Amino acid sequence: AQSVTQPDIHITVSEGASLELRCNYSYGATPYLFWYVQSPGQGLQLLLKYFSGDTLVQGIKGFEAEFKRSQSSFNLRKPSVHWSDAAEYFCAVGGSGGYQKVTFGTGTKLQVIP
Amino acid sequence: DTGVSQDPRHKITKRGQNVTFRCDPISEHNRLYWYRQTLGQGPEFLTYFQNEAQLEKSRLLSDRFSAERPKGSFSTLEIQRTEQGDSAMYLCASSLPGSGGNTIYFGEGSWLTVV
């Protein structure tokens, strides 16, 4: 069964500092990998996705993520955090062959301090 | 551009009542998903449709839950005899799988509070 682990429940960073959110996945074949962001009371917005090709993917709002097959990881990064980035971030994994449901991690809540 | 829309956005109901949520996917998307999210958790898969066919249901989806997508367009999720444990946000999502993968786009969610 596929699964996602986000080891950090809560992260606090200063505005302007760099950010890395960790994600480890378990999946038997080549995965589809996603990062979504959710503001309080809202739905999920797609930040970026990895299906194949270049293992460093760029997303919206200045985010990027790197797929490392050997480490089963897909960590999200941003070089300089803005106060508006405060939200909850979810990593997700889905199958690459036909339909497979997308399984989410439990999320990392990001707090940005001035 | 119309994304995934859900209605109602908020619903408060008494325990034992039935509730129904509606989801309108992105127009050309043939796949439609329902997820449930409780506070502090990630979304949990409930069920999925390809066109009008319901292809998978999670064990989370008890007999009190039923979902339909009668014409392969909008979908409804009905919860019968609601219980307090049903209080959650119900998220609908849609996708159109292709050579570029299968990206799921979510609606804003429907909050259910059972009192």
Side-chain angles (χ1 to χ4, degrees):
Chain A
Q2 59 202 51
S3 66
V4 175
T5 301
Q6 294 182 248
D8 303 306
I9 296 172
H10 197 146
I11 282 185
T12 301
V13 299
S14 299
E15 191 169 15
S18 63
L19 171 70
E20 183 169 26
L21 301 182
R22 296 183 291 164
C23 171
N24 292 96
Y25 69 90
S26 173
Y27 188 72
T30 302
Y32 289 163
L33 294 161
F34 309 87
W35 276 98
Y36 287 85
V37 60
Q38 186 177 38
S39 297
Q42 302 298 311
L44 285 85
Q45 181 184 21
L46 179 70
L47 282 177
L48 49 78
K49 61 189 178 185
Y50 170 80
F51 291 152
S52 64
D54 193 347
T55 57
L56 183 64
V57 293
Q58 303 296 322
I60 62 171
K61 305 184 180 187
F63 285 93
E64 66 177 27
E66 186 171 11
F67 170 55
K68 292 186 177 179
R69 185 187 300 274
S70 61
Q71 299 177 19
S72 297
S73 69
F74 189 58
N75 294 348
L76 182 72
R77 300 193 294 251
K78 186 170 184 178
S80 177
V81 170
H82 188 262
W83 64 266
S84 61
D85 294 324
E88 192 149 21
Y89 292 80
F90 292 95
C91 181
V93 64
S96 57
Y99 161 74
Q100 293 283 343
K101 68 184 180 187
V102 175
T103 300
F104 287 81
T106 52
T108 297
K109 193 166 187 177
L110 174 65
Q111 182 181 7
V112 180
I113 56 176
Chain B
D1 176 32
T2 56
V4 178
S5 63
Q6 295 187 242
D7 183 70
R9 293 292 316 281
H10 298 89
K11 178 74 176 179
I12 300 174
T13 191
K14 292 183 179 179
R15 185 167 53 92
Q17 297 294 305
N18 299 344
V19 296
T20 300
F21 299 110
R22 176 182 169 120
C23 171
D24 288 90
I26 295 171
S27 60
E28 66 270 22
H29 285 186
N30 61 352
R31 291 185 176 170
L32 186 147
Y33 311 78
W34 285 100
Y35 282 78
R36 180 172 67 187
Q37 186 179 22
T38 53
L39 285 174
Q41 299 297 316
E44 296 174 296
F45 171 80
L46 292 180
T47 190
Y48 136 78
F49 292 84
Q50 177 152 321
N51 300 313
E52 66 276 9
Q54 187 173 19
L55 296 188
E56 185 174 344
K57 292 196 293 186
S58 164
R59 281 174 289 182
L60 293 174
L61 213 62
S62 76
D63 291 344
R64 296 184 298 104
F65 288 71
S66 62
E68 295 182 342
R69 194 183 184 197
K71 297 182 180 179
S73 57
F74 74 92
S75 174
T76 58
L77 176 69
E78 182 182 18
I79 308 174
Q80 296 181 327
R81 305 181 304 280
T82 52
E83 302 172 356
Q84 287 190 323
D86 298 330
S87 296
M89 182 160 70
Y90 291 85
L91 290 160
C92 179
S94 70
S95 71
L96 179 65
S99 58
N102 183 30
T103 301
I104 295 178
Y105 295 92
F106 283 85
E108 293 295 310
S110 292
W111 278 103
L112 173 64
T113 301
V114 181
V115 298

